[in-house]
Amino acid sequence: MPDTAAAKARLEAQLAELLARQAHIAADLAEPLSADSAEQATEKEGEVALEGQGALVEREIASVRRALARIADGTYGECVRCGEDIAPGRLEARPEAALCIDCARQAE
Ligand SMILES: [Zn+2]
């Protein structure tokens, strides 16, 4: 059984940071494009990159939230695919990890 109190604190900090990043990206995207058409092209490219980042942040938020849900229902630290314990070192590096290293390798 991993130290869920420590994992929870880390996940909550991670979630707060991700939500702040998401808000920042949303605010950037909400800014109107400039009237200058040459600049607009650059801004649109920037927006596409931002949208990509936004999608990534959203996926990370979802996996952190799922990890917090697993802590709440007592299944944290078990691989969601095979049910084996996830190695402590792996949880240390990625507290939001849902798969053991073997399943993660297969999923790639
Ligand atoms: Zn597994």
Side-chain angles (χ1 to χ4, degrees):
M1 189 66 177
D3 180 358
T4 51
K8 192 173 181 222
R10 281 185 64 194
L11 286 163
E12 278 169 353
Q14 221 173 318
L15 185 61
E17 196 202 291
L18 286 165
L19 289 172
R21 223 194 300 171
Q22 189 182 44
H24 189 85
I25 291 170
D28 272 1
L29 284 173
E31 269 176 32
L33 292 176
S34 73
D36 183 279
S37 64
E39 232 169 74
Q40 262 189 27
T42 325
E43 284 176 5
K44 280 202 175 125
E45 273 172 35
E47 288 204 348
V48 170
L50 267 181
E51 277 163 11
Q53 278 180 41
L56 203 73
V57 166
E58 209 161 295
R59 276 209 300 277
E60 285 175 35
I61 288 171
S63 68
V64 169
R65 284 207 164 119
R66 281 196 299 270
L68 284 166
R70 288 194 299 277
I71 289 176
D73 68 19
T75 59
Y76 182 74
E78 289 171 19
C79 174
V80 298
R81 190 187 265 186
C82 71
E84 291 291 320
D85 286 347
I86 300 172
R90 176 166 167 77
L91 283 177
E92 186 68 35
R94 293 191 56 217
E96 78 282 18
L99 297 173
C100 69
I101 192 75
D102 291 339
C103 290
R105 284 210 185 103
Q106 281 168 35
E108 266 165 21

